[in-house]
Amino acid sequence: MLNRFTADYLDTLGHADFRPTPSVSGRLASYDGLLMEAVGLSLPVGTVCRVGGHGDSFVEAEVIGFRGGRTLLMNLGGPAPLLPRAPVKPIGPPGEAEVGAALLGRVVDGAGKPIDGLGPIRGAASWPLAGKLQSPLDRGRVLQPLDVGVRAINGLLTVGQGQRVGIMAGSGVGKSVLLGMMVKAAKADVIVIGLIGERSREVADFLETKVAGEARARSVVVAVPANHSPVLRIRGALRATAIAEAFRDEGKKVLLIMDSLTRVAHAGREIGLALGEPASARGYPPSAIAMLPNLIERAGADAHGTGSITAIYTVLADGDDGNDPVVDSARSILDGHIVLTRALAEQGVYPAIDISKSVSRVMTDIAQPAHIHAARVLRRHLATYEQNRDLVLMGAYRAGADPAIDQAIAAHGAIMAYVSQSAGETVSLDDAVMELTGVFGDG
């Protein structure tokens, strides 16, 4: 036994590239079910650690900060029978995401582990979770339209390749259904979908109905339901964006779908409050709102290549409040926003897009003059009708008193028919523009 130990030890020392690697570990000092404090180790923020003993009595946690000489960690898993002074050991480096063609057709969680039962992901490359910092001049202009298959969006809120758009609405108004319509029809090389903080049932439903068939083979899904750790929810959003960035770097036209940006902000709020940050508007600490620009600004077109990331984010307006801090912050950063209203949904108008409150900031750069003119005519008729709606319904308006109101009343039925579309119907960009200019081009 001694001879074998001596031989193995001497053989190890005989290698020229041998470098002893010390084992870094600490001890758990406090734990309240979510936030942990460890002593005896110093690790960079983002490092994943294993907390606990052998067997199943352990959880994974991520380093999120430091306080009073202690390392702060956030639980990534569920409850575990942890004891005081449980060992804390680092198990993974911070900030790397698996990317590349090996992920096409796969579903992963916030930690990058496959959850689709198709086995491990092999041959993937790596990309920083936080992205690679770019100069503003590295971002290209949005000059080419993107067909999303929805008549109202193609015609009145035309989306461009490399644009960042927000779909803003309260709960149950049809955000996910509209996303599904866009995913099925979008002309993109790769579709990256981040289902962040939503119901677990919606994940399976989205996979079976929205990305079934041909779209599934060119899509990557990152699913982190609402019952997962807030750190995993933020990691899921970062991972989906990193995967899209890697495909853009290859020259691909990527469609990035994130449902929802508000759940990412909620996760940031949980972490910020756990760290003792003061709450400001609606209970959001400053770090939760400041995180949104860092995430959104990573999407866009590449000025030095052919790749682009067209990003569509859903934004939940809590209590149907259009001035919610997350809604207001996202609206100021995005290149356009599509507002869905409960009033239209209650009237049976789907998708319930409020044209008067929605805008695409790049439409004038990517649409033809005749198209832009027809869209403005429709908007003018719709605004005139809404301003005088009460007078018309009460019978206080007499036909012929105002030609503009007469035209708006006459066009209202055509406007409602144009913006309405069933979930299973797809209307191409060319068809949407042809219908729009054919009806409103002479206004």
Side-chain angles (χ1 to χ4, degrees):
M1 177 67 73
L2 180 61
N3 291 338
R4 189 174 67 184
F5 168 77
T6 304
D8 292 343
Y9 180 69
L10 292 177
D11 288 343
T12 302
L13 293 179
H15 292 292
D17 60 348
F18 171 73
R19 296 289 186 276
T21 56
S23 176
V24 179
S25 65
R27 292 288 176 179
L28 185 65
S30 70
Y31 175 44
D32 61 3
L34 185 65
L35 188 66
M36 306 178 184
E37 296 186 10
V39 295
L41 79 168
S42 179
L43 299 170
V45 171
T47 304
V48 178
C49 299
R50 172 173 170 156
V51 184
H54 301 286
D56 296 329
S57 60
F58 72 90
V59 295
E60 291 185 359
E62 180 179 326
V63 178
I64 61 171
F66 313 96
R67 180 192 296 148
R70 294 185 174 188
T71 300
L72 304 180
L73 305 97
M74 187 73 77
N75 186 5
L76 294 179
L82 299 176
L83 296 173
R85 297 190 58 76
V88 181
K89 297 182 179 181
I91 60 173
E96 291 292 332
E98 290 185 324
V99 298
L103 275 76
L104 292 176
R106 302 301 303 269
V107 184
V108 299
D109 62 8
K113 300 175 183 176
I115 57 176
D116 51 10
L118 300 178
I121 298 172
R122 305 185 187 279
S126 62
W127 191 272
L129 268 178
K132 298 179 180 180
L133 188 62
Q134 288 186 309
S135 162
L137 297 180
D138 293 331
R139 294 297 169 83
R141 294 182 61 199
V142 179
L143 299 174
Q144 297 295 326
L146 178 70
D147 188 351
V148 296
V150 181
R151 185 192 295 109
I153 298 176
N154 280 339
L156 305 172
L157 306 163
T158 312
V159 175
Q161 295 177 12
Q163 185 178 359
R164 292 88 49 88
V165 183
I167 300 177
M168 303 173 176
S171 57
V173 182
K175 298 185 300 298
S176 297
V177 175
L178 180 58
L179 276 183
M181 295 170 66
M182 300 170 76
V183 168
K184 286 189 291 186
K187 301 297 188 293
D189 298 328
V190 178
I191 303 171
V192 181
I193 303 168
L195 302 176
I196 312 298
E198 296 300 316
R199 296 179 289 274
S200 298
R201 177 194 62 78
E202 283 194 345
V203 175
D205 180 72
F206 203 97
L207 293 175
E208 293 295 330
T209 61
K210 283 30 173 221
V211 289
E214 183 270 338
R216 182 69 178 270
R218 55 189 173 98
S219 66
V220 182
V221 180
V222 181
V224 191
N227 61 337
H228 284 212
S229 161
V231 176
L232 277 181
R233 278 177 262 155
I234 292 178
R235 270 183 169 258
L238 296 175
R239 187 172 301 276
T241 308
I243 293 171
E245 284 179 317
F247 280 117
R248 178 182 61 187
D249 196 54
E250 297 176 3
K252 302 288 181 63
K253 293 178 174 60
V254 184
L255 177 63
L256 172 62
I257 302 285
M258 191 167 296
D259 187 13
S260 81
L261 195 65
T262 304
R263 304 300 186 190
V264 179
H266 286 178
R269 178 171 62 184
E270 292 181 44
I271 294 175
L273 294 178
L275 289 173
E277 276 193 73
S280 54
R282 297 288 181 90
Y284 288 99
S287 63
I289 302 299
M291 176 178 57
L292 301 181
N294 295 332
L295 186 65
I296 295 172
E297 281 296 321
R298 292 168 61 181
D302 185 358
H304 307 296
T306 59
S308 65
I309 299 176
T310 306
I312 301 176
Y313 304 92
T314 65
V315 185
L316 176 65
D318 289 332
D320 291 347
D321 183 5
N323 295 319
D324 179 85
V326 178
V327 175
D328 196 46
S329 178
R331 187 167 47 218
S332 66
I333 304 165
L334 293 166
D335 302 321
H337 52 273
I338 300 168
V339 179
L340 307 184
T341 59
R342 197 174 301 277
L344 286 173
E346 290 172 349
Q347 295 172 21
V349 178
Y350 288 100
I353 300 175
D354 190 336
I355 301 299
S356 61
K357 295 181 180 178
S358 305
V359 67
S360 172
R361 297 178 180 174
V362 303
M363 182 173 174
T364 54
D365 296 328
I366 60 178
Q368 298 298 318
H371 177 189
I372 297 172
H373 171 73
R376 287 174 176 170
V377 170
L378 185 148
R379 283 178 174 271
R380 185 173 69 245
H381 288 331
L382 183 59
T384 302
Y385 182 86
E386 292 298 331
Q387 290 169 3
N388 299 277
R389 179 188 182 92
D390 292 340
L391 291 176
V392 174
L393 294 180
M394 288 187 301
Y397 174 73
R398 181 172 54 84
D402 189 329
I405 298 178
D406 292 338
Q407 291 177 3
I409 295 173
H412 188 67
I415 293 174
M416 290 295 101
Y418 186 82
V419 300
S420 300
Q421 183 176 333
S422 63
E425 182 185 2
T426 299
V427 180
S428 69
L429 176 62
D430 292 338
D431 291 342
V433 174
M434 187 181 303
E435 290 183 41
L436 181 66
T437 55
V439 178
F440 300 98
D442 298 329

